[in-house]
Amino acid sequence: MTDPDILDDTAADHERHETELLAQDRDAARVSTADVDETTARQLVSDLVDDGVVTAVAEQRVLVHEPSGEAFDSIRQLAVFHRGWSTACDAGRVDE
């Protein structure tokens, strides 16, 4: 009876719980881009144009994301791209 019962050993429970909490924190910090509807996209892109981050090229019917140089013909694609780009830039600043 001196050997601990394997079924009663809870030594690894704390580590599993800690790992799960870290994963939840990481998921909560990520920006979701799947929920960008047309109205939200239009508002975001309008704000980006006002701030000079996006330039409309009327002759080519595209929107250019100035910091990255990427061109988009869809407002929604641009909004999703900018959210991801901003998140990646912010994560890079935190890592430094």
Side-chain angles (χ1 to χ4, degrees):
M1 278 311 253
T2 60
D3 292 335
D5 187 0
I6 292 175
L7 297 177
D8 289 334
D9 186 12
T10 59
D13 288 350
H14 176 71
E15 289 180 23
R16 279 194 300 270
H17 180 67
E18 187 72 24
T19 301
E20 183 178 325
L21 289 176
L22 287 172
Q24 289 174 5
D25 288 347
R26 220 177 8 253
D27 290 344
R30 290 187 179 140
V31 174
S32 175
T33 57
D35 63 346
V36 177
D37 60 15
E38 193 67 27
T39 304
T40 304
R42 286 188 183 282
Q43 183 60 49
L44 175 63
V45 171
S46 176
D47 292 345
L48 293 173
V49 169
D50 291 344
D51 293 341
V53 176
V54 170
T55 303
V57 181
E59 303 84 39
Q60 298 175 356
R61 298 182 54 97
V62 296
L63 298 164
V64 178
H65 185 257
E66 294 298 336
S68 67
E70 295 292 324
F72 298 89
D73 59 0
S74 165
I75 289 174
R76 195 167 183 183
Q77 287 176 346
L78 173 57
V80 170
F81 174 83
H82 180 74
R83 279 190 170 183
W85 180 84
S86 296
T87 301
C89 288
D90 291 345
R93 285 188 205 117
V94 170
D95 292 342
E96 291 175 355

